[in-house]
Amino acid sequence: MPEGKTARRPMRKDTAQTRDRLLDAAGRLLTERGTAFTLPDLARASGVATATVYRHFGDVHDVHREFYYRLMGELVEDLEKISVRAHGRQRFEAVCALWSDLATSWGRAATHIRSAEGFLERVRRGDPPTSALYGALAPVLGELVTEHEIPEQNVEYAVLLWVTVFDERVIVDLSTTLGWSPRRIGRTLAQTVLTALTQPG
Amino acid sequence: MPEGKTARRPMRKDTAQTRDRLLDAAGRLLTERGTAFTLPDLARASGVATATVYRHFGDVHDVHREFYYRLMGELVEDLEKISVRAHGRQRFEAVCALWSDLATSWGRAATHIRSAEGFLERVRRGDPPTSALYGALAPVLGELVTEHEIPEQNVEYAVLLWVTVFDERVIVDLSTTLGWSPRRIGRTLAQTVLTALTQPG
């Protein structure tokens, strides 16, 4: 039914735009207040009618999850763009730099909705955003091995170490407390992970 | 007033025992259900009257905080005992081993009440358990420098790296997902941090 599809398309685009607007506002609320906000607060902060907010999200936990899913989707997409144009150590350093740079904007919001479950636990049970992130990082770290930058090792441990050291809370902490620039954070953490991985694991 | 003091002592001891019993039960609830429990749930789980629970804690966030404070107090005390009998790299390795060993029991509970605030941010504002932990770890890492195990470096960054890599979520993850023993976890993470710190920072 192409007519039906055409008729519904603008509606869908509106819905997607409203959803993005709501998730943008959710990011600001998470940054400013942590998880202490309600769906009516989100309506006020985004300028969207409360009834509309309830059509998008069942409860505030849906908002946290959807914010996190969208964020991870965007990050993974950005990381994969780097993979097209860089290789080996250069690719690793570009990934570290990009992540640190982006994390200074989304990091504070994300610290409030961090999972209590381990990274590898989420990968193993097939959690979509965590699996996508693992899928983007594993080849970057694997290539350091094939290009002899680091010795043969457990790639799961290497990826876990990367996400642990590049934790958003660490990046926000270094930025806020020590006043480091995103560039310095990215370089230092990259060097830390790379040095740590010079031991065979 | 020694009499008054004496008269009150048994009462205080009872109160402390009840509090410990409540915090032990809180640890079990956090491990099993995360933060999804109420003060009446805590009363049931501990076998303590609900009214008594309310005399100890204003709300469930008090329970989380007090559980965390007691835990950190005990850990710091254990770490400081090591400092009396070991030095340099041996002390560092003993601290890593003890922490990994203990974290396999309290780790899962603690993942649910992790602060969104950075470790150094909490140290800088004088948060008591974080400052105590920093106070216990900084000399251990500082001694690696004075004994020439690692080069001169930013001790704040070194301590941040240690607590980041020895994060309870990482320890639980390695234990659950890769099936590593506490001993293997302690050794691997110790080696990771030590290798990472061989770069001047």
Side-chain angles (χ1 to χ4, degrees):
Chain A
M1 292 182 292
E3 296 85 355
K5 242 178 149 181
T6 310
R8 266 153 63 201
R9 204 173 283 153
M11 178 69 159
R12 278 179 176 167
K13 199 182 160 194
D14 275 9
T15 306
Q17 279 173 345
T18 303
R19 194 185 127 93
D20 271 336
R21 190 168 155 187
L22 288 169
L23 294 179
D24 291 344
R28 292 192 299 274
L29 289 173
L30 282 168
T31 302
E32 290 158 18
R33 315 188 200 172
T35 55
F37 65 91
T38 63
L39 291 188
D41 291 336
L42 180 61
R44 266 187 300 275
S46 59
V48 169
T50 305
T52 307
V53 175
Y54 279 101
R55 274 204 299 280
H56 281 267
F57 306 110
D59 59 30
V60 81
H61 301 292
D62 273 357
V63 177
H64 304 161
R65 194 184 53 248
E66 293 301 315
F67 173 80
Y68 188 75
Y69 271 50
R70 186 184 66 164
L71 172 64
M72 285 297 130
E74 289 168 355
L75 287 169
V76 166
E77 210 174 285
D78 286 343
L79 297 185
E80 282 170 349
K81 272 182 210 148
I82 291 174
S83 299
V84 178
R85 56 174 207 266
H87 293 284
R89 183 156 171 173
Q90 208 194 343
R91 180 185 179 192
F92 172 77
E93 284 170 356
V95 162
C96 295
L98 178 68
W99 184 273
S100 303
D101 197 30
L102 297 175
T104 50
S105 66
W106 58 262
R108 182 70 79 183
T111 58
H112 295 287
I113 48 169
R114 181 181 188 264
S115 171
E117 200 183 4
F119 179 78
L120 295 179
E121 287 182 278
R122 282 174 286 147
V123 172
R124 294 263 175 120
R125 73 167 169 77
D127 174 57
T130 316
S131 302
L133 182 58
Y134 185 88
L137 292 170
V140 175
L141 291 160
E143 208 177 46
L144 291 176
V145 174
T146 56
E147 299 212 350
H148 308 292
E149 295 281 351
I150 58 173
E152 196 67 51
Q153 55 197 288
N154 184 334
V155 173
E156 279 186 310
Y157 181 74
V159 175
L160 174 63
L161 182 67
W162 192 93
V163 297
T164 300
V165 169
F166 280 86
D167 188 297
E168 55 275 10
R169 196 178 75 173
V170 171
I171 295 172
V172 172
D173 205 1
L174 291 170
S175 165
T176 309
T177 316
L178 303 187
W180 289 7
S181 67
R183 187 185 166 88
R184 181 172 180 189
I185 295 170
R187 282 184 171 189
T188 307
L189 298 183
Q191 193 54 50
T192 292
V193 172
L194 200 61
T195 308
L197 296 179
T198 55
Q199 60 164 333
Chain B
M1 292 182 292
E3 295 86 356
K5 241 179 153 180
T6 310
R8 267 152 64 201
R9 205 173 282 153
M11 178 70 161
R12 278 180 177 166
K13 199 181 159 195
D14 275 9
T15 306
Q17 278 173 347
T18 303
R19 193 185 128 94
D20 271 337
R21 190 167 155 187
L22 289 169
L23 294 179
D24 291 344
R28 291 192 300 275
L29 289 172
L30 283 167
T31 302
E32 290 158 17
R33 316 188 199 171
T35 54
F37 66 91
T38 62
L39 291 189
D41 291 336
L42 180 61
R44 266 188 299 278
S46 59
V48 168
T50 305
T52 307
V53 176
Y54 279 101
R55 273 204 301 279
H56 281 267
F57 307 110
D59 61 29
V60 80
H61 301 294
D62 273 357
V63 178
H64 304 160
R65 193 184 55 248
E66 292 302 315
F67 174 80
Y68 188 74
Y69 271 49
R70 186 184 67 163
L71 173 64
M72 285 297 132
E74 288 169 354
L75 287 169
V76 166
E77 210 174 284
D78 286 343
L79 296 185
E80 282 170 349
K81 272 181 209 148
I82 291 175
S83 299
V84 178
R85 54 174 208 267
H87 292 283
R89 183 155 172 175
Q90 208 194 342
R91 181 185 178 190
F92 172 77
E93 284 171 356
V95 161
C96 295
L98 178 69
W99 183 274
S100 303
D101 198 31
L102 297 175
T104 50
S105 67
W106 58 263
R108 182 70 79 182
T111 58
H112 296 285
I113 48 169
R114 182 181 187 266
S115 171
E117 200 184 3
F119 179 79
L120 295 179
E121 287 182 278
R122 283 174 285 148
V123 172
R124 293 265 175 120
R125 73 167 168 79
D127 174 54
T130 316
S131 302
L133 183 58
Y134 186 87
L137 292 170
V140 175
L141 291 159
E143 208 177 45
L144 291 175
V145 175
T146 55
E147 300 211 350
H148 307 292
E149 295 281 352
I150 57 173
E152 196 67 52
Q153 56 198 288
N154 182 335
V155 173
E156 278 186 311
Y157 180 74
V159 175
L160 175 63
L161 182 67
W162 192 94
V163 298
T164 300
V165 169
F166 280 86
D167 188 297
E168 55 275 12
R169 196 178 75 173
V170 171
I171 294 172
V172 172
D173 205 359
L174 291 170
S175 165
T176 308
T177 315
L178 303 187
W180 290 7
S181 66
R183 187 184 165 90
R184 182 172 179 189
I185 295 170
R187 282 184 170 187
T188 308
L189 299 182
Q191 193 55 50
T192 293
V193 172
L194 200 61
T195 308
L197 296 179
T198 56
Q199 59 165 331

